[in-house]
Amino acid sequence: MKKLVSVFFVLFISVSMFAQTSITGSVIESKTGQPIPGANIKVVGKSIGTTTDFDGNFSLKIAQNPPFSIEVSLIGYASTEVEITQNDQKITISLEESATALDEVVVSASRTPERILESPVTIERMDVREIKNTSSPTFYDGLENLKGVDVNTNSLTFKSVNTRGFATFANTRFMQLVDGMDNSSPALNFNLGNLLGMSELDVNTVELLPGASSALYGANAFNGILFMTSKNPFNSEGVSVYGKTGLTSSKEAGDNQFADVGIRMAHKFSDKFAAKASFSFLKGTEWYATDYNDYDHLNSIPGESTTLVPETGQTAFDRLNVYGDEVKLSETPFGDLQGVAGFLASTTNPELGPLVALIPKDDVSRTGYKERDLTDYQAESAKVDIALHYKPFEDDLEIIYNAKFGKGNTIYQGANRYSIKNFFMQQHKIEVRNDDFFVRAYMTDEDAGDSYDMRFAGINMNKANASQWFGTYAGAYATGAGQILQGGGSPADVVAASAQLHAGARQFADANVTLQPGTPEFKAALEATASDPDLATGAKFQDNTRIYHADANYNFHKLVDFADIQVGGSWRQYSLNSSGTIFTDYDGAIDYNEYGAYTQIQKKYLEDRLKFTGSIRYDKAKNFDGNVSPRISLSYSLGQDKTRNVRASFQTGFRNPTTQDQYIGLDASQAILVGSAPDNLDRYTSNPIANSATAQQLGFPATVQLSGRSAYENAYTLASLRAFGASAAAGSPNPGLLKVGNFDYVKPEKVTAYEIGYRAVFGRLSLDASAYYNKYEDFIGNKTVVVPHYGQVDFSDIIPLPAQLGGPTPAALIAIGNGDWQPFQVYTNSKADIASYGGSVGVSSKVAGNYSVGLSYTYAKFDFDQESDPDYEAGFNTPENKVKFSFGNTDVIENLGFNVNVRWSDEYFWQSSFVDAVIDARTVVDAQINYTVPKWKSTFKIGGANLGGKEYLSAPGNGKIGSQYFASWTINP
């Protein structure tokens, strides 16, 4: 017993002695003497540390007797070590600012720390200093100021980041990793901007890799990757708060207030356990989409702007941001206006009989609803992030549980325009890591909430009383014609007054039948339609899809001396669950898996001047063959101090077809979308589609239902249908012009990328230049085909028509002639040669003391011969030339800073399934002024985006982007 007490006493005394070492001090800038908040203080060789507070002060206790060393570091400054020689030691540490941004350390390029100057590939970066000084309303908007980066604005809360071409709001070629988790939507396969991202208070670093990176990061690391890393609660403690408000201003939406608030709380409870939680909320008004032009989608030519239809004399419309005008007589059994009048005369209104012959055989569409009538344009984003960090030992091993929750309202533009309401997404991650390895597993789950398709909302609200409206229209037209005759007019006068009669009939039908926006009846109908998931009657976007993912990486640098070697792998499962509203998952969830493994070796030669990096990865997904992705790069450092670097790399990337490419089954009104997974084709069957009256007279059924397989195995190309139609219009119909459009099932697309680059530091000036060439194979895209309602496209079934009707004729040719065909959008690969190339150059420097100035130019070019694949739309969607300029100073005078960013891009052609058009050139100016009050631990900022006020589009059909003015107050940033 005495021995046990003695042992306990010795242990207690030992622990007490170790616990007595206390260090206090401050960290300052070497040149200005100003305190540096957020600097990391870490005991060398241990995972114990702290950070400086807003005033640059810190306090650290450690269970270790002196002497030992601490390392002091912060992004943008050169790290330093200080030896601790006694207890209660008080120290002041000066940090020198890095000479240029090229001296800063990144991790994502090679999955290992290295200076940007020595990175084997192009990389862009943003840290807490850039976030503080950004002139954009949010740090995520500020990404657009990085060299070579495009940010396309889908809505106020949904921005799509891209590099090196092929931009789209559904950007499945660009990955976004938040603390190692892919935060793309499980169903849509692309990220929704920062909707489920990170609060700016919790951002530690943002790194962006332009171009292909599949060798390390697998499928879909095709156009680039964005990495966002949050602050660790062991190193960044305390409570931080921000509040931001201001106005969004545009011609159509007017001036609208927005508010953005957030809080971050982090605490290190001990050397073993720390936790953090952050919350942010944004509310504002979307940019209004008001393009009311009438576009002829079906007869437009790929590679050219969608044809505008002159509305003079038109009675059937398809305006872009108007929904419900797709409901037209040509798609009903009546066929045209005279057909309606004839039906009324033979049933309920026999007095119309003498007037039927005077009613024109015009196609008439319903008056649609403007988009602004079908959504409230309220943008919201709420994010919650909770993390628990545990260090079981005194080494660097760390166990993390992280939960992220996001809920919001936004607008998404795909094949149609969607009002995303109460969309909810969550992620849960368990990760074990240290400096040598990580193993993580996470789940992403989404709920579409009350989201709905605005086109189908308009269509089905108008379909509900379409018969009444068309009958009222025909009756009003006939009444007007009768009044002309009764007034002494002739039938010729009736024909001459057709435009006025149509206008009067439409006005009368709208006033008496169409639900008027804003009325209780309209609101009730919209709510009922938006909550109905059956697209035959409703518009609800229903989805509860999930992703399960696991990945791991190990670095052998402590076990192997001759080179830096890493191995890793990943596994993912998709579980599609849209209840048949998006995918063909009518009978339950559709599950499919993909997995991959990789290795990388990095070796330095010639006094560490020459660095070789080689990687290779193998990936396999259900429905597709395996894919091998290699990467090789060489970089060489020049100069006595290695301040210049040249590099060259070869790498490949690939993109697996998305969940929609494989399993979608959706009638999008303009066309039916059917994914090409082999087990998807027979699961999809269309709703009943009406046949023409002529077809019914020939014995064909009144309606047909078409399978997904018919789109891939019994269809004509759209281009050939146009050619045949032109020959028929010229009086010489030529069936030989019809070409079978049975396209192959979709498979992964590939890119081979070549890149060269040069980086250099000349005193306070840095230069970063690169050029690339990308060659694509099996580029994934959509093709529109037309499926005849009846008959085989090879003309193998002949209908014995009488001689006066043309004699024996193939059934499919009869269908085409009668207009009995249905457009389908199929998912396949282009056989055309597609390439892109470009480059960028950026210079930055400190001038006149502490003024920062930067200038960059980016060139991007697309090489595609449209004639080699006439029906294909590649969608490069990127300006050929972009120039960006920045000018600022963090301390013009003590505590006062400013920043100005100017961006110019030339015009470019935007292609999408929604509409194709040229986007005008634009110049955008953002600016901010900030002032820090140290005694309040606060920073105040006022600024504005697009200060010139000239509105611009990111894409046709989207809302025009106006100006945004803001003022913010951040406490303990």
Side-chain angles (χ1 to χ4, degrees):
M1 183 65 180
K2 290 181 179 180
K3 291 183 178 180
L4 183 60
V5 172
S6 299
V7 171
F8 177 79
F9 180 76
V10 170
L11 291 175
F12 178 77
I13 293 298
S14 300
V15 172
S16 300
M17 290 175 63
F18 283 133
Q20 296 307 306
T21 304
S22 177
I23 313 157
T24 59
S26 60
V27 180
I28 61 173
E29 288 187 339
S30 61
K31 289 184 179 179
T32 65
Q34 293 294 313
I36 300 178
N40 299 307
I41 317 294
K42 182 182 178 182
V43 178
V44 176
K46 294 186 177 293
S47 60
I48 300 169
T50 186
T51 56
T52 56
D53 61 18
F54 189 83
D55 299 315
N57 299 321
F58 71 92
S59 176
L60 178 65
K61 291 184 179 181
I62 177 174
Q64 181 175 337
N65 283 329
F68 56 86
S69 295
I70 61 172
E71 181 184 42
V72 185
S73 63
L74 181 64
I75 295 166
Y77 294 87
S79 300
T80 186
E81 288 190 10
V82 177
E83 186 177 12
I84 304 302
T85 58
Q86 64 185 35
N87 187 25
D88 294 326
Q89 186 170 343
K90 188 173 183 178
I91 55 177
T92 299
I93 304 151
S94 298
L95 292 185
E96 293 189 3
E97 189 175 3
S98 299
T100 71
L102 297 182
D103 289 317
E104 296 177 2
V105 175
V106 293
V107 177
S108 56
S110 304
R111 287 192 185 266
T112 189
E114 58 192 354
R115 290 194 304 161
I116 293 178
L117 186 66
E118 299 173 345
S119 170
V121 293
T122 299
I123 188 167
E124 301 297 324
R125 191 175 188 281
M126 176 187 284
D127 58 35
V128 290
R129 294 175 305 157
E130 280 82 14
I131 292 169
K132 175 186 175 182
N133 294 318
T134 182
S135 58
S136 302
T138 71
F139 86 91
Y140 201 85
D141 294 345
L143 294 172
E144 191 166 13
N145 295 317
L146 297 177
K147 172 170 49 58
V149 177
D150 297 304
V151 176
N152 295 296
T153 300
N154 200 2
S155 71
L156 189 68
T157 52
F158 180 11
K159 314 292 174 70
S160 179
V161 180
N162 190 62
T163 60
R164 298 188 177 178
F166 305 104
T168 168
F169 296 124
N171 197 354
T172 56
R173 295 184 175 96
F174 189 91
M175 290 182 68
Q176 180 170 290
L177 301 180
V178 180
D179 284 332
M181 292 186 286
D182 181 353
N183 74 337
S184 62
S185 161
L188 303 175
N189 293 161
F190 58 86
N191 68 78
L192 299 174
N194 202 33
L195 194 65
L196 181 73
M198 193 174 289
S199 166
E200 64 182 57
L201 293 173
D202 199 32
V203 177
N204 187 39
T205 61
V206 178
E207 297 179 10
L208 192 148
L209 287 178
S213 300
S214 293
L216 285 182
Y217 295 100
N220 306 334
F222 201 79
N223 269 23
I225 314 178
L226 176 67
F227 302 83
M228 290 192 283
T229 305
S230 66
K231 297 173 182 176
N232 189 308
F234 278 111
N235 301 327
S236 299
E237 294 186 82
V239 178
S240 302
V241 181
Y242 78 86
K244 190 182 304 179
T245 188
L247 293 175
T248 55
S249 179
S250 68
K251 179 180 178 181
E252 295 295 338
D255 295 337
N256 297 281
Q257 187 175 6
F258 76 93
D260 184 5
V261 296
I263 183 171
R264 178 186 185 270
M265 298 173 289
H267 185 66
K268 185 176 71 171
F269 295 90
S270 70
D271 290 338
K272 292 183 177 295
F273 179 69
K276 67 175 182 178
S278 64
F279 169 78
S280 60
F281 177 77
L282 181 149
K283 185 174 183 178
T285 302
E286 298 286 8
W287 308 112
Y288 284 22
T290 57
D291 186 344
Y292 302 137
N293 288 308
D294 193 352
Y295 290 88
D296 185 359
H297 298 278
L298 189 61
N299 294 309
S300 292
I301 300 172
E304 299 180 8
S305 295
T306 307
T307 306
L308 284 173
V309 179
E311 294 200 356
T312 303
Q314 293 294 319
T315 56
F317 310 97
D318 187 8
R319 297 182 176 97
L320 194 62
N321 293 129
V322 175
Y323 314 120
D325 54 359
E326 296 87 350
V327 179
K328 55 189 66 177
L329 281 172
S330 59
E331 297 179 0
T332 70
F334 301 116
D336 53 43
L337 189 61
Q338 190 180 85
V340 178
F343 175 79
L344 294 175
S346 64
T347 53
T348 58
N349 291 0
E351 65 274 13
L352 295 180
L355 298 172
V356 170
L358 294 176
I359 307 299
K361 293 184 176 181
D362 289 341
D363 189 14
V364 174
S365 70
R366 288 211 58 175
T367 304
Y369 293 106
K370 294 179 179 179
E371 181 175 297
R372 63 197 303 170
D373 298 326
L374 296 172
T375 181
D376 58 13
Y377 279 131
Q378 289 302 303
E380 288 187 6
S381 173
K383 295 189 286 285
V384 176
D385 190 329
I386 300 170
L388 306 177
H389 292 240
Y390 178 62
K391 295 182 176 180
F393 313 111
E394 289 192 357
D395 58 15
D396 57 359
L397 183 69
E398 192 169 2
I399 303 172
I400 303 168
Y401 167 72
N402 187 198
K404 296 179 184 291
F405 305 91
K407 186 176 183 179
N409 303 338
T410 190
I411 301 292
Y412 162 57
Q413 179 172 307
N416 295 334
R417 296 266 294 173
Y418 300 87
S419 178
I420 306 299
K421 291 282 187 182
N422 298 320
F423 179 88
F424 178 75
M425 193 165 158
Q426 60 179 319
Q427 291 187 296
H428 297 270
K429 176 185 75 170
I430 293 289
E431 181 173 5
V432 181
R433 71 182 185 193
N434 68 6
D435 290 341
D436 303 326
F437 80 97
F438 68 79
V439 177
R440 71 170 69 98
Y442 62 88
M443 178 271 288
T444 306
D445 174 77
E446 69 183 7
D447 184 342
D450 301 314
S451 304
Y452 58 94
D453 183 325
M454 289 186 284
R455 184 191 298 275
F456 274 94
I459 288 173
N460 286 322
M461 288 175 67
N462 271 344
K463 282 173 64 176
N465 56 7
S467 296
Q468 181 186 0
W469 190 90
F470 286 124
T472 303
Y473 189 111
Y477 191 103
T479 299
Q483 290 173 347
I484 292 174
L485 295 177
Q486 291 172 5
S490 67
D493 293 326
V494 173
V495 173
S498 177
Q500 292 83 0
L501 292 173
H502 272 298
R506 182 174 295 277
Q507 184 178 11
F508 184 79
D510 284 340
N512 289 275
V513 180
T514 300
L515 298 176
Q516 298 304 307
T519 63
E521 295 80 9
F522 174 87
K523 292 178 180 178
L526 176 58
E527 183 178 352
T529 305
S531 59
D532 180 359
D534 184 353
L535 290 185
T537 54
K540 185 176 177 63
F541 175 39
Q542 192 169 343
D543 180 55
N544 294 104
T545 295
R546 289 184 173 185
I547 287 176
Y548 301 93
H549 183 96
D551 59 338
N553 182 86
Y554 190 87
N555 191 319
F556 290 89
H557 67 106
K558 292 181 181 178
L559 302 177
V560 177
D561 294 331
F562 72 90
D564 186 70
I565 300 174
Q566 298 183 62
V567 296
S570 64
W571 170 89
R572 175 174 292 191
Q573 181 183 76
Y574 292 90
S575 183
L576 311 183
N577 186 14
S578 71
S579 301
T581 61
I582 304 171
F583 306 108
T584 58
D585 49 358
Y586 313 107
D587 301 324
I590 298 173
D591 295 336
Y592 70 95
N593 302 332
E594 55 188 39
Y595 57 87
Y598 63 87
T599 185
Q600 174 178 279
I601 182 170
Q602 196 170 73
K603 175 72 173 175
K604 291 184 176 181
Y605 303 91
L606 304 178
E607 299 179 339
D608 291 345
R609 290 182 177 274
L610 177 65
K611 182 166 69 173
F612 166 83
T613 304
S615 0
I616 190 166
R617 180 178 177 116
Y618 174 80
D619 288 272
K620 177 73 174 70
K622 180 184 176 182
N623 300 326
F624 310 112
D625 295 333
N627 189 80
V628 176
S629 305
R631 181 179 82 167
I632 296 175
S633 67
L634 290 170
S635 65
Y636 188 81
S637 296
L638 303 168
Q640 183 176 353
D641 297 322
K642 302 178 182 177
T643 56
R644 291 170 289 138
N645 182 277
V646 293
R647 68 185 188 275
S649 67
F650 158 82
Q651 57 186 317
T652 62
F654 76 101
R655 179 172 79 90
N656 279 330
T658 67
T659 54
Q660 295 185 61
D661 295 339
Q662 299 181 68
Y663 290 105
I664 196 171
L666 176 67
D667 186 340
S669 179
Q670 295 179 1
I672 296 174
L673 284 56
V674 177
S676 69
D679 56 343
N680 191 60
L681 302 182
D682 294 322
R683 267 203 303 264
Y684 179 81
T685 303
S686 71
N687 290 316
I689 304 172
N691 275 330
S692 63
T694 302
Q696 295 178 52
Q697 292 171 1
L698 293 175
F700 293 103
T703 62
V704 296
Q705 289 183 279
L706 302 174
S707 71
R709 186 171 296 279
S710 64
Y712 290 87
E713 298 181 5
N714 195 52
Y716 294 114
T717 66
L718 181 59
S720 72
L721 177 73
R722 292 181 182 134
F724 173 73
S727 71
S732 302
N734 180 6
L737 294 174
L738 290 170
K739 293 185 178 180
V740 175
N742 297 343
F743 293 105
D744 294 335
Y745 303 156
V746 71
K747 58 186 177 182
E749 66 183 20
K750 301 176 182 179
V751 60
T752 302
Y754 305 89
E755 181 179 319
I756 57 174
Y758 176 74
R759 298 186 182 101
V761 175
F762 304 100
R764 304 185 76 187
L765 183 143
S766 65
L767 169 68
D768 189 354
S770 64
Y772 67 89
Y773 177 81
N774 293 336
K775 182 70 174 177
Y776 300 94
E777 180 183 350
D778 296 324
F779 210 78
I780 294 174
N782 305 120
K783 301 241 179 136
T784 301
V785 298
V786 290
V787 176
H789 290 185
Y790 39 86
Q792 299 299 310
V793 294
D794 61 0
F795 293 162
S796 60
D797 50 346
I798 307 297
I799 304 300
L801 296 179
Q804 62 270 28
L805 295 180
T809 306
L813 191 59
I814 296 173
I816 297 299
N818 289 334
D820 292 334
W821 46 268
Q822 170 63 45
F824 276 77
Q825 191 172 96
V826 299
Y827 296 80
T828 186
N829 303 83
S830 175
K831 292 182 172 61
D833 291 330
I834 299 176
S836 68
Y837 53 92
S840 62
V841 58
V843 292
S844 61
S845 182
K846 290 288 184 70
V847 297
N850 198 41
Y851 286 89
S852 298
V853 67
L855 179 67
S856 71
Y857 168 73
T858 300
Y859 176 76
K861 188 69 174 176
F862 177 46
D863 187 5
F864 170 55
D865 181 6
Q866 188 71 59
E867 293 183 0
S868 65
D869 198 342
D871 291 324
Y872 185 69
E873 290 195 344
F876 191 61
N877 301 346
T878 301
E880 185 171 319
N881 301 285
K882 294 191 293 286
V883 177
K884 299 179 182 181
F885 171 77
S886 65
F887 180 66
N889 190 330
T890 56
D891 285 289
V892 181
I893 59 175
E894 186 175 359
N895 299 322
L896 179 68
F898 78 95
N899 196 30
V900 179
N901 291 98
V902 183
R903 299 183 299 275
W904 173 84
S905 60
D906 62 5
E907 68 175 25
Y908 58 100
F909 184 46
W910 183 280
Q911 291 179 296
S912 70
S913 55
F914 192 67
V915 68
D916 300 344
V918 174
I919 301 300
D920 292 334
R922 61 178 180 260
T923 300
V924 178
V925 180
D926 302 345
Q928 64 86 11
I929 300 173
N930 66 81
Y931 185 73
T932 299
V933 182
K935 67 178 180 178
W936 292 356
K937 303 183 186 298
S938 296
T939 297
F940 297 89
K941 181 193 288 189
I942 58 173
N946 191 21
L947 291 176
K950 185 176 180 181
E951 298 179 9
Y952 63 92
L953 286 171
S954 271
N958 215 354
K960 277 193 172 182
I961 301 162
S963 300
Q964 187 172 2
Y965 308 97
F966 63 91
S968 68
W969 179 8
T970 305
I971 301 174
N972 197 22

